[in-house]
Amino acid sequence: MKAMKASFCSGVTLTSMLMVAPAWAQATPEATAPQKSDIAEGSDIVVTATKANEIAPVTVSLATTQPQAIVSRSFIEDSLPATADFNQLALITPSFSNTGSNGGVGVSESKGQLRGFQDGEYNITYDGVPFGDTNDPTHHSNTFFPSNTVETLVVDRGPGNASNLGQATFGGSVNLFSRATREDPSATFRAAYGTFNTFLGRAMLQSGSIDKLGGTQILLGGQYVRTDGRLTYSPYHQTNLFGKVVIPIGPDVRLTLVSTYNKNHFNQPDNDGATLAQVAQFGKTFSLNNDPTTPQYQGYNYTDKTTDFEIVKLEADIAPGTRFENRTYTYYYNNSTLSAADVTGGTPNQVTAADGKTKIIGHVPGYTKLNSYRVYGDIAKAIIDLGPATLTTGAWIEWSVTHRKRYQYDLTAGGPAANAFDYNQKTPAGVPKYINYDQDSRGNQQQLFAELEIRPFENLKITPGIKYIDFTRSVNAIANQKTHAPAIFSESWDDTLPFVTINYQPIDGLAIYAQYARGFLAPPLDVLQIQNPAKNTVEPQRSTNYQLGFVYHGSHLSIDADVYSIDFTNKFQSKKDGAGDTVFYNSGGALYKGIEGQVTYAFDNGLALFANASRNYAKTKDTRLQVANAPFMTAAGGILYRHGGIKASLIDKYTGVQYGDDAQTPDYRIPGYNTAIVSLGYDFGRFAVEGTVSDLFDSTKVTNITVNGAPYDQYYFQPGREVSISLTAKF
C-alpha cells in the first residue's frame, strides 16, 4: 500500500524515523516511498492511502498510540460551510460535541466538549504550539484561526506521550495544522453568499518554489466575513490575514515562518443567551433591540477582538541519526467590550449618583471590559536514533503578561458611573467604586520531557516517558477581581508524570495500541482572586488514563475502535470559611469511561459510506450523575461521492442527551439533536461552484443552558437552516 506524510505533528510523534535524510523527506513506518497527499497534510502523521482513507471525512494512522481522528483539508473545503470554526471542523469526530454558534455557523463563538471534558480541560494546538487564555486554558473558536488558516485537524482523544505538550493534556488535544505551501505557483479566490446576508471573500496566493531563493515557498492568504447574523441586531465582521514562508537552508535545515492576524467586531451582550420569557415574547432569535431604554439595546453591547499568532520553526538534521526541532512563538489577544450589566431583566435600570446614595432610576447599568495578554514561548526537541530505540527529549518554556479590567458604566449617560451601580460591591478605602477590577497577572511554566521508543522486534514499539511540570501564577492588582481590593499574590505547583504507550502491527494494515498516562491541570487564576490565598488548600487536578484500541486499513474498508477509562481527581471547589472569605479546595472528581468506533467503506465508483459513534460516561464521584454539558453519546454518519468534477456529501452528527447542571435537574435536561449538512459542487477546472445547506432539517433545539436561577436562566439554540453558494476561481 502507498502511504503519505508531511512535515510536523504534535499529536503523534513518529520517533522511529531514521535521520540520514532530511526530516521532511524521510521514510516512515507505513511506507518506504512517501508521496504527496491531502489526507493529513501539514502534520507528520502517516496514513495508508487506501480508497477509504482518501475519501473518508475522518481517518486514523496505523502508527497511533491513542484514539485519534484526522480531518483532511478536502473534507473541510468540500463538505463544510466556508465560515466554519475549528469546533465545527472537529464536530464530525467521535466523542466531540459543541455548543454555541447560535448566531450562525462560525460567526458566533462556540465551545467544544471532548468525551465530556469541557473547553479548558483539553488542549488546542496550532502547528504544535498549545494556546489558550491566560486565566485558564480556554479558547475562543472564531478569534485566532478561521478555517482558511487550517490545512488539517487531528483530534487526539488522550494524553499522548511525554512529548505531547499543553496545560490540560489529560483531556486530549485538538491539533490544528497551518495551511501548506506548494511547489507550484497558484492563486485561488473564493466568494460565498448565504442566509442572514452572510458574505465571505477569500484569497490564497502560492509563490511555488522560488529557485533564486533556494526553493523558498511563500503562501499569503486573507479572508473577510460579514453577516447580519441569525440573532436580532447582532451583526458580525471578521478580517483575517495569514502568511507562511518555508525556507530551505541547505540540504538538512529548514526554517518555517507562520503568522496570522485576526480582527472581529460584533454586537452581543458579554453574557448572552435568551431567557424563556424573552423567547416566549420575541422568539428564539432574540438577542438585542434598537430601544436605548433597555439593556438589550444594540448600541450598549459590542465587542472588538484583535489577535495575532507568530511561529518561527527550525528543523535540522544536525548529525547522522540526530534531529533538532525548535519552535519560538508569541501570540496576542485583546478583547475590548462594552456591555449591559444584565440582559435577562434580573437587574433594575438604575445607577448610583456621585453622592454614593442617590439612585438614578431609568439609567441602564453596564461596564467596559478589557482582557489583553501577550504570550511568549519556546519548544525545543531533540530526536536521537539509537538503533533499536529512539530517544526524544526536550523542554517547553512559556510566560505571559495579562492586563484585565472592568469599570462600571452608565450606558444611558454614555460615561463611567460616578460610583458603582448597585452590585452590592464593597471596595476598600482608596479604590474608586466604579472599578470592579483592575488586575495585572503573569503566568510562567516549564515542562521537561523525555521518552524512549523501544523496538524489541519488527512492528512493535513500546514508548515509556516522563514529564516534569512547573507552573506559577502571580497577581498584582489595583483592585482584584471578585474581592475589589488591592492584591499582590503568587503561587506555584509542580508534578512529575509517567507515560507508556504501545503500538503493535501484527499484519499489514492492522495496528493494536495501548496507553497508560497521568495528567495534570494547574488551578485557574480564580484561586488568587480571593482575600487571602494562604487559606487555599487547592492542588492541581490530576488524572490516570488507560486506553486500548485497534486500527484496520483495508483496500476499501477502514475500521477503528477503542475503550477508555479515566480517573479524574482533585476537582476544584470553593466555599466561604468561618470569616466569610472565599477559599479554594479539592473535593472528589469524576470517572470518564466509554467506547468509541468509526468505519468507512469506499466503492470503486467514488462513493463512500461512513459512520462513527461513542458511548460516553462522565460521572461525578460523589453523586454518580453525568457531569454538566457532557452528552451520554454521540454518533455521525453520511455519504460522500467524488467522481470527475462532482463533489457531493451528506453528513449528520447526533449529539445525545445532556444536562445543563451536575444535579441532572429535569428542567435542565437537554434532549439530543442532529446537525445535518449537505454539500454539492462541481469543479470545471479553472472555476468551481458549490452549494451548502447547514442544519438541513432546520432544527432549532436547545444546545446549552446557562444556569442563573429561574426565571433568569439563559438558553442557546441551534441556528436553524443556513444556505450558501460559493464560486471559486483558480489560476
Side-chain angles (χ1 to χ4, degrees):
M1 292 183 223
K2 296 185 298 179
M4 319 302 187
K5 78 175 283 287
S7 59
F8 171 73
C9 170
S10 68
V12 175
T13 303
L14 302 179
T15 55
S16 63
M17 293 190 295
L18 298 177
M19 300 300 140
V20 177
W24 50 91
Q26 290 298 327
T28 70
E30 291 196 30
T32 57
Q35 302 176 33
K36 193 175 180 63
S37 171
D38 60 0
I39 294 177
E41 191 155 4
S43 71
D44 211 11
I45 298 174
V46 182
V47 180
T48 308
T50 64
K51 287 184 176 294
N53 286 334
E54 288 174 343
I55 195 172
V58 182
T59 189
V60 184
S61 168
L62 287 172
T64 191
T65 56
Q66 63 184 344
Q68 180 188 80
I70 303 168
V71 180
S72 69
R73 181 67 207 175
S74 61
F75 176 74
I76 296 170
E77 193 77 26
D78 300 336
S79 298
L80 297 178
T83 57
D85 62 18
F86 55 69
N87 284 329
Q88 181 70 51
L89 308 188
L91 183 60
I92 195 64
T93 66
S95 291
F96 197 90
S97 60
N98 70 0
T99 58
S101 285
N102 52 319
V105 174
V107 300
S108 59
E109 188 171 315
S110 64
K111 293 292 184 182
Q113 298 82 39
L114 180 58
R115 291 177 166 176
F117 287 106
Q118 306 301 301
D119 181 44
E121 295 178 332
Y122 60 86
N123 292 320
I124 300 182
T125 71
Y126 189 71
D127 276 359
V129 174
F131 71 96
D133 277 355
T134 53
N135 57 325
D136 59 28
T138 52
H139 307 87
H140 305 278
S141 64
N142 60 357
T143 300
F144 279 101
F145 305 113
S147 63
N148 65 298
T149 68
V150 178
E151 187 78 27
T152 299
L153 179 143
V154 180
V155 179
D156 287 322
R157 301 189 300 273
N161 214 312
S163 60
N164 277 44
L165 301 174
Q167 291 187 42
T169 308
F170 64 78
S173 297
V174 175
N175 305 300
L176 315 176
F177 296 95
S178 63
R179 292 297 296 270
T181 60
R182 308 294 187 200
E183 294 182 358
D184 299 321
S186 65
T188 304
F189 303 93
R190 184 175 186 180
Y193 182 80
T195 308
F196 314 134
N197 194 27
T198 301
F199 169 78
L200 176 144
R202 176 186 296 172
M204 302 296 288
L205 307 175
Q206 295 271 7
S207 71
S209 296
I210 304 173
D211 293 338
K212 292 182 179 180
L213 298 177
T216 294
Q217 298 176 1
I218 302 173
L219 169 61
L220 299 176
Q223 176 173 288
Y224 174 74
V225 178
R226 70 151 311 277
T227 180
D228 294 339
R230 167 187 178 266
L231 303 177
T232 57
Y233 293 89
S234 299
Y236 170 87
H237 300 261
Q238 178 195 74
T239 301
N240 176 266
L241 299 175
F242 173 80
K244 184 173 184 178
V245 182
V246 179
I247 307 170
I249 306 175
D252 299 319
V253 181
R254 181 170 68 170
L255 183 68
T256 302
L257 312 175
V258 178
S259 179
T260 182
Y261 166 87
N262 204 78
K263 186 173 182 64
N264 294 349
H265 175 85
F266 53 91
N267 289 85
Q268 178 182 294
D270 196 25
N271 297 297
D272 63 332
T275 66
L276 290 180
Q278 291 169 334
V279 171
Q281 185 175 2
F282 304 110
K284 293 180 179 180
T285 63
F286 177 74
S287 178
L288 300 175
N289 61 33
N290 63 348
D291 183 356
T293 67
T294 68
Q296 296 85 18
Y297 177 51
Q298 180 187 44
Y300 297 158
N301 298 275
Y302 61 81
T303 296
D304 285 295
K305 288 187 179 182
T306 304
T307 68
D308 65 67
F309 204 109
E310 289 77 37
I311 304 173
V312 178
K313 178 171 67 173
L314 178 69
E315 300 165 284
D317 294 340
I318 58 178
T322 301
R323 174 182 173 188
F324 176 74
E325 299 177 357
N326 193 85
R327 289 163 184 80
T328 299
Y329 64 90
T330 182
Y331 59 91
Y332 170 74
Y333 174 87
N334 189 91
N335 175 341
S336 180
T337 293
L338 175 71
S339 179
D342 184 1
V343 294
T344 68
T347 299
N349 287 351
Q350 65 181 32
V351 299
T352 306
D355 60 13
K357 299 178 182 179
T358 306
K359 304 294 183 183
I360 305 177
I361 307 300
H363 281 215
V364 178
Y367 55 84
T368 60
K369 185 182 79 171
L370 175 70
N371 181 12
S372 182
Y373 58 77
R374 170 68 70 180
V375 177
Y376 307 88
D378 189 86
I379 300 171
K381 176 165 43 173
I383 306 170
I384 305 169
D385 181 65
L386 304 174
T390 300
L391 174 66
T392 301
T393 185
W396 174 33
I397 58 172
E398 183 180 87
W399 62 99
S400 63
V401 179
T402 305
H403 182 58
R404 304 170 70 242
K405 65 180 180 180
R406 180 166 138 174
Y407 286 6
Q408 319 283 33
Y409 205 79
D410 183 340
L411 295 173
T412 303
N419 279 276
F421 55 78
D422 193 4
Y423 263 144
N424 295 318
Q425 176 174 302
K426 298 178 181 179
T427 58
V431 177
K433 291 187 178 297
Y434 63 82
I435 297 180
N436 186 271
Y437 58 85
D438 193 330
Q439 175 197 84
D440 290 312
S441 64
R442 294 177 181 268
N444 297 280
Q445 64 173 317
Q446 300 83 42
Q447 295 191 12
L448 308 176
F449 59 88
E451 60 191 39
L452 185 66
E453 182 185 276
I454 305 168
R455 298 179 291 276
F457 55 84
E458 187 177 6
N459 298 328
L460 175 64
K461 295 183 293 185
I462 303 172
T463 310
I466 192 167
K467 179 190 296 180
Y468 172 75
I469 300 174
D470 180 80
F471 196 99
T472 299
R473 293 192 185 277
S474 61
V475 165
N476 188 337
I478 297 171
N480 205 8
Q481 189 171 353
K482 299 180 182 178
T483 69
H484 319 296
I488 301 178
F489 300 136
S490 180
E491 194 160 353
S492 298
W493 305 271
D494 69 307
D495 205 351
T496 300
L497 307 176
F499 300 80
V500 64
T501 63
I502 299 172
N503 179 282
Y504 177 51
Q505 299 182 33
I507 60 175
D508 186 34
L510 175 66
I512 302 168
Y513 61 84
Q515 178 187 71
Y516 163 81
R518 297 290 301 274
F520 171 100
L521 176 60
L525 190 62
D526 289 17
V527 302
L528 299 183
Q529 295 174 166
I530 64 177
Q531 294 290 349
N532 183 5
K535 294 182 178 181
N536 285 338
T537 60
V538 68
E539 292 289 330
Q541 293 182 152
R542 293 181 170 88
S543 69
T544 303
N545 303 256
Y546 300 92
Q547 305 198 86
L548 177 67
F550 77 91
V551 180
Y552 171 75
H553 292 327
S555 60
H556 291 73
L557 179 66
S558 176
I559 304 175
D560 66 271
D562 67 273
V563 293
Y564 67 90
S565 177
I566 305 169
D567 185 357
F568 176 67
T569 61
N570 288 356
K571 184 178 180 181
F572 298 142
Q573 304 275 14
S574 65
K575 64 181 180 181
K576 297 287 186 180
D577 67 5
D581 294 336
T582 299
V583 296
F584 282 83
Y585 66 102
N586 302 108
S587 176
L591 295 172
Y592 295 79
K593 59 183 180 179
I595 183 170
E596 304 160 321
Q598 54 189 4
V599 58
T600 299
Y601 187 86
F603 299 88
D604 289 327
N605 61 358
L607 178 69
L609 307 177
F610 85 94
N612 64 53
S614 67
R615 182 69 171 95
N616 308 105
Y617 296 85
K619 310 278 188 182
T620 58
K621 290 184 177 180
D622 50 355
T623 66
R624 297 290 172 170
L625 299 176
Q626 191 87 343
V627 302
N629 301 313
F632 286 87
M633 66 161 294
T634 70
I639 304 172
L640 298 99
Y641 180 74
R642 295 181 191 169
H643 183 74
I646 301 174
K647 298 179 181 180
S649 64
L650 171 61
I651 60 174
D652 189 20
K653 176 65 180 269
Y654 175 75
T655 300
V657 173
Q658 57 189 299
Y659 285 84
D661 67 344
D662 287 330
Q664 293 191 6
T665 305
D667 287 346
Y668 297 136
R669 183 180 184 272
I670 301 173
Y673 55 90
N674 291 76
T675 305
I677 301 175
V678 62
S679 179
L680 176 62
Y682 192 86
D683 191 334
F684 296 91
R686 181 76 69 186
F687 300 96
V689 61
E690 179 180 319
T692 303
V693 182
S694 304
D695 197 353
L696 176 64
F697 303 110
D698 198 25
S699 176
T700 57
K701 292 183 178 181
V702 175
T703 64
N704 193 25
I705 304 171
T706 298
V707 180
N708 302 317
Y712 305 116
D713 297 323
Q714 292 171 286
Y715 288 74
Y716 302 80
F717 304 91
Q718 292 176 272
R721 185 182 297 118
E722 298 180 55
V723 181
S724 67
I725 187 167
S726 70
L727 300 175
T728 301
K730 297 168 286 184
F731 303 95

